Amino acid sequence: MTARTPSVPSLGTLEKYKLVFLGDQNVGKTSIITRFMYDSFDTSYQATIGIDFLSKTMYLEDRTVRLQLWDTAGQERFRSLIPSYIRDSSVAVVVYDITDRASFLNTSMWIENVRAERADDVVIMLVGNKNDLSEKRQVTQEEGEELAKNEDVVFIEASAKEGHNIKTLFRRLATQLPGMDSANIGDNNNLLEITLDPTPANGGQDGAGGGGGCAC
């Protein structure tokens, strides 16, 4: 009798979704991506220069998707680059630091920028990062929830440092993607995830592609 080979999901045609991460400098955008990609946290990040790009392929119940994660710089001098990356995005993740009230107040500006480029044809998630620093909190969870309700966006608090709610964040985003059925997402542990090698945002050419990761 011929032994049966265990079945594995077929790559088939990958459905690609562009996720752009927005927010002020040092709110932890890169840290969230790094925690999701590699389940690690680095305290020695340098500021993102321009735009960084990574991708992750996820095998779900009935389809395979590739999440293209675009990490934008929070510094003012790079703001002119950002609209072009928002323009064809499926998801915008707007991050603020719960210990920095100014970064929270600026989220309305980031959301407005997204809507100016994509109108309502985009999923927006508001993320309050660094909720492990509760003793330094300047923004309550209720304030985040209220803003998300007023802006009609998805909301979650998380900690890239501790890994709290990071997988939940991306699972919730997966349920919001075009053509996705939340019933097919299931528990995080039922997802077979393949991490692909990082690729420069500019495809290896000179231009907007950034340098190292950061906590910005």
Side-chain angles (χ1 to χ4, degrees), residues 88-166:
D88 59 348
S89 61
S90 301
V91 177
V93 182
V94 178
V95 184
Y96 68 91
D97 176 354
I98 69 159
T99 71
D100 180 357
R101 188 162 190 83
S103 71
F104 172 70
L105 297 176
N106 286 338
T107 57
S108 293
M109 173 199 69
W110 291 108
I111 293 172
E112 181 180 343
N113 289 344
V114 173
R115 295 222 163 107
E117 297 294 333
R118 298 288 287 141
D120 293 324
D121 192 25
V122 63
V123 176
I124 302 177
M125 173 174 272
L126 179 67
V127 179
N129 190 33
K130 307 187 185 182
N131 73 348
D132 56 292
L133 301 176
S134 57
E135 72 283 356
K136 297 181 180 179
R137 180 185 287 271
Q138 294 183 8
V139 182
T140 67
Q141 182 170 333
E142 290 73 21
E143 286 178 299
E145 291 171 345
E146 183 65 21
L147 177 61
K149 181 179 179 180
N150 292 339
E151 295 282 4
D152 192 25
V153 301
V154 184
F155 173 74
I156 194 171
E157 281 197 351
S159 168
K161 182 177 182 179
E162 301 294 335
H164 177 246
N165 267 352
I166 298 300

Side-chain angles (χ1 to χ4, degrees), residues 173-185:
L173 285 178
T175 68
Q176 303 287 325
L177 293 173
M180 287 296 181
D181 181 354
S182 60
N184 289 330
I185 301 301

